[in-house]
Each structure stands twice: as structure tokens, then as C-alpha cells.
Amino acid sequence: MSDDERGEEKELDLSSPEVVTKYKSAAEIVNKALQLVLSECKPNTKIVDICEKGDSYIREQTGSMYKNVKKKIERGVAFPTCLSVNNTVCHYSPLASDETVLKEGDILKIDMGCHIDGFIAVVGHTHVLQQGPVTGRAADVIAAANTAAEVALRLVRPGKKNQDVTEAIQKVAAAYDCKIVEGVLSHQMKQFVIDGNKVVLSVSNPDTRVDDAEFEENEVYAIDIVTSTGDAKPKLLDEKQTTIYKRAVDKNYHLKMKASRFIFSEISQKFPIMPFSARALEEKRARLGLVECVNHELLQPYPVLHEKPGDFVAHIKFTVLLMPNGSDRITSHSLQELQPTKTVDDPEIKAWLALAVKSKKKGGGKKKKGKKGEKGEGDEAVAMEETTNGES
């Protein structure tokens, strides 16, 4: 069954309380998984071990839900845990044989996703492996990503357009003397669809065009912000580093190699819809078979991209539900203390940050003082404004 068929079979959305519950349950798990991954990030720890712990936690937690229902409910990892270090931008989730370890002072970008019944919650977070406040350009690039995320949260709302967000996040990054990384897309998500057709571009340029779109009530978005102190045009340095793929359900091809057929059959059974890590496949056979699958577009690769050595890169990703009473950011994690070298004085950016996320009307009283891992969005924005205004 294709993504579109699954999505359009019933076209379940946030107007159903059960759907909202599944999104929030997936979010609670992925927020806790992120907390676990952060606690495992210590100098001399192997990156692959940390990624595996993140994925295992999501599998265990989702596996214990909806066990006694008549109709089987698919659930588990919606995007494999990635841990991209320093000038590596994204999608680093190495194979079991990889010996790379973390070092003191590394800038870590963690990216992961969970789904329940195809309703997906993703999260991305940046952390510097050090004690005490983050200072200098590292603080600038993280503050740029976080402030851009806070602005995006306030502009991804019914009636606003995708290009409004693209322009705003670039302006925020420039205020910190940073750039938004090109080629990063924020997608609408639907049931079993992690990369829906409505898209927010990170940077508008002649090479990358997307259809103009207006946000609507009851939609869900994964807002993906990556900032850099470099030229923000990341490169693929080594195709062998790519380990995350997603089956292209609309493509067909008769594979020639036995290894390719074996691997593709395994992928079709285990990972028919969601992105997966090649770590879950038998390594030698996978290396052989994946190449032919990718060459004939049966699999969509998620390449590991890099900025130049010495560039600082930060990543913030969150899932937002466009509810009738306002935007509900369901995935997040609080940042370390930042002491950026820049402050945001631009009145337009300050006005965006001052916008309410939730309307004060009905339902406003329902939101309690945030569960653990589900912070009130306003608090984070205020905290961030204080940091970016040079306090602390």
C-alpha cells in the first residue's frame, strides 16, 4: 500500500481525539528517548552504541502499547536515531562495525522519530559535550537555530504561508551572523507519511523551488531548522557513510543481483513505509544489495552531509499540531545555558517572538503546567529571549 493510499484511505487527522492521543503518545516516547540519548552522550562512548540505545528504547516503549487490540497497530521507530558531530550536518547513524567515539567539546546534533499507528513525532536537538555555559560562535549557532524554531512555531499557523516561514528563519539566522543550511525541508506529516507534499523550504533559491502553500487547521508539521557559521551549502563527502534509507513505494524494478533481491525483500517486510537504518540488516549482504536498490530508485537515501571543518552547525527539529486553539509543539528538549556573542535587536523578530502560540479562548485552561519533557512553548521562548538579550 502506498503512502498516498494509506493517507487517503480514511484521511484521519487532528479532528479525531484518538489521532491527537496517538501523536502525543509518540511525542512523549521520543522526548524521553532523546533524554536517554543525551544521558548516554559522554566522552569516549561509541556513537553507534548511543544510536542503538535510542532506537531500542523507542521499540520497547511502543511495543508495550496497544498489545491487546483486535486489529494490529503498527508502531515503532519513525526515523532512526542519528548523532551528527561538529561540522557533520545530519543523518549520521553508523553501522555496528563503526568505532567512532565522542570527544569532550563535540557539538552533537541528535535526530530521531517515533510513530504509533503511523502518527509520527520527530525531534532534533543540539548539545555541546561540556560542563558550564556554551559561549562564542557555538552559542551563536545554537541560539540562531532555537530562535528560528521559536519564530517558525509562531508563523506555522492557519492562514500563514510557507514562504513567510522561509523568509523569517533566514532573517533570524542573519541576526546571529549565521546562515540557515540549504536543502533542509520541513514537511507536513500525515498517517504513515513522514514527508508530505506541503513543504517549507529552509532557503529559497533558484535551484530549489516548492509550491506555495498555506497552513491549515488540523495539519501536522515537522519543522526542521539547521544553522551554520559556514557557507551553509553542505556536501556529500562519502556515499559509504549513508546508512538511512526509505522505501520508494511508487517505484518498481526487477533487481538483477541475488543479494539485492534478498535485502529488498527483507526491507519490504520489516520497513515497508518508514525510514530505517542499514544497521538493522546483515552488514556485508546489505552493502552489496543496497547499491543496486538505490541506483534504481527503489530506496531513497538520506545522505550524511558535511560543512567545512571548523564550521559550527546546530539542529532543532520539532513536531507541531495545528489545533483549533493554536499550535501545540509536542516535541522539544530544553537547551544548555547559552551565552551568545550576538543579541536580537530587530523589532520584526521581537514582534514574531511576542506572538501567542495558543489562543486564550476555550481549552486554554486545559493545559496543565507541562508534563516532564512537554514544556510550555511560551516558557522556552521567554528563556531564549533572555539568553539572546545577553543576560546570564
Side-chain angles (χ1 to χ4, degrees):
M1 196 183 291
S2 78
D3 292 14
D4 289 341
E5 283 167 1
R6 276 178 186 270
E8 283 162 24
E9 201 179 20
K10 288 183 190 163
E11 195 60 68
L12 291 167
D13 68 14
L14 300 178
S15 57
S16 156
E18 191 189 354
V19 167
V20 175
T21 299
K22 286 173 179 172
Y23 272 118
K24 291 197 169 180
S25 299
E28 193 172 341
I29 291 169
V30 85
N31 284 332
K32 286 179 178 168
L34 172 57
Q35 181 73 48
L36 170 74
V37 165
L38 277 167
S39 72
E40 295 289 334
C41 288
K42 298 176 182 124
N44 302 314
T45 309
K46 283 208 294 192
I47 290 176
V48 64
D49 292 347
I50 300 169
C51 292
E52 199 47 64
K53 280 183 178 164
D55 290 350
S56 296
Y57 180 84
I58 290 172
R59 283 194 295 266
E60 285 160 18
Q61 295 299 309
T62 54
S64 66
M65 301 174 77
Y66 295 100
K67 283 205 293 200
N68 303 317
V69 291
K70 284 179 188 168
K71 183 183 167 229
K72 185 184 175 229
I73 287 183
E74 291 180 48
R75 58 212 189 275
V77 174
F79 199 86
T81 305
C82 300
L83 186 46
S84 306
V85 176
N86 297 332
N87 62 307
T88 303
V89 175
C90 57
H91 304 150
Y92 192 78
S93 189
L95 298 174
S97 55
D98 191 282
E99 297 291 326
T100 311
V101 297
L102 298 180
K103 299 190 293 297
E104 183 76 27
D106 279 347
I107 300 181
L108 317 176
K109 277 85 62 190
I110 301 158
D111 186 7
M112 59 204 314
C114 169
H115 82 97
I116 292 168
D117 197 18
F119 298 106
I120 302 161
V122 289
V123 69
H125 181 73
T126 300
H127 179 80
V128 183
L129 202 55
Q130 66 173 57
Q131 300 297 313
V134 179
T135 60
R137 294 296 279 151
D140 289 346
V141 81
I142 298 170
N146 192 66
T147 307
E150 290 295 342
V151 166
L153 174 63
R154 286 154 177 77
L155 296 181
V156 177
R157 57 172 65 199
K160 287 282 189 188
K161 294 192 165 58
N162 53 357
Q163 67 223 37
D164 299 336
V165 180
T166 304
E167 288 162 12
I169 62 174
Q170 288 180 79
K171 187 165 190 176
V172 170
Y176 291 94
D177 197 17
C178 295
K179 289 179 180 170
I180 298 287
V181 170
E182 289 186 12
V184 179
L185 300 175
S186 296
H187 286 275
Q188 183 188 5
M189 297 193 293
K190 297 182 180 182
Q191 188 180 20
F192 291 107
V193 182
I194 200 167
D195 50 3
N197 293 334
K198 275 194 179 179
V199 171
V200 179
L201 265 181
S202 53
V203 178
S204 44
N205 62 37
D207 303 336
T208 325
R209 297 201 67 79
V210 296
D211 293 338
D212 289 347
E214 191 173 295
F215 305 113
E216 295 172 54
E217 199 172 283
N218 292 327
E219 290 180 337
V220 179
Y221 285 88
I223 301 301
D224 206 347
I225 311 276
V226 185
T227 49
S228 172
T229 58
D231 65 7
K233 295 179 180 180
K235 304 279 189 292
L236 170 66
L237 299 182
D238 183 2
E239 279 182 11
K240 288 198 185 80
Q241 284 190 323
T242 303
T243 59
I244 296 175
Y245 302 88
K246 181 168 84 77
R247 199 166 79 89
V249 288
D250 54 341
K251 293 280 195 295
N252 287 301
Y253 175 78
H254 184 68
L255 293 159
K256 305 287 185 281
M257 287 168 56
K258 190 177 175 184
S260 308
R261 292 196 297 274
F262 179 87
I263 284 296
F264 191 66
S265 167
E266 187 182 353
I267 290 164
S268 299
Q269 284 166 22
K270 285 187 179 173
F271 313 105
I273 300 285
M274 298 293 176
F276 64 92
S277 164
R279 221 178 19 254
L281 310 168
E282 200 258 302
E283 194 166 322
K284 275 189 181 159
R285 200 174 230 165
R287 272 196 192 283
L288 277 171
L290 288 168
V291 175
E292 191 184 4
C293 294
V294 170
N295 286 346
H296 294 284
E297 298 180 350
L298 294 178
L299 296 177
Q300 172 195 329
Y302 287 80
V304 178
L305 301 176
H306 303 265
E307 282 277 72
K308 294 187 179 74
D311 290 343
F312 295 109
V313 180
H315 184 195
I316 303 280
K317 184 194 281 189
F318 64 88
T319 304
V320 60
L321 314 182
L322 304 191
M323 303 295 287
N325 66 333
S327 299
D328 193 355
R329 176 179 179 168
I330 57 171
T331 58
S332 67
H333 194 284
S334 53
L335 291 164
Q336 294 159 285
E337 185 189 341
L338 302 176
Q339 294 179 358
T341 68
K342 314 286 178 193
T343 57
V344 173
D345 299 316
D346 187 287
E348 191 174 21
I349 296 174
K350 286 187 164 181
W352 287 327
L353 289 169
L355 292 170
V357 176
K358 292 278 178 77
S359 55
K360 293 280 192 290
K361 290 182 293 189
K362 55 183 182 180
K366 262 168 83 178
K367 182 128 171 134
K368 293 198 176 103
K369 262 281 189 213
K371 288 182 206 160
K372 215 175 169 190
E374 215 182 288
K375 278 176 60 197
E377 300 87 346
D379 304 341
E380 196 164 332
V382 170
M384 195 59 234
E385 272 194 276
E386 284 173 4
T387 313
T388 54
N389 285 336
E391 291 178 30
S392 76

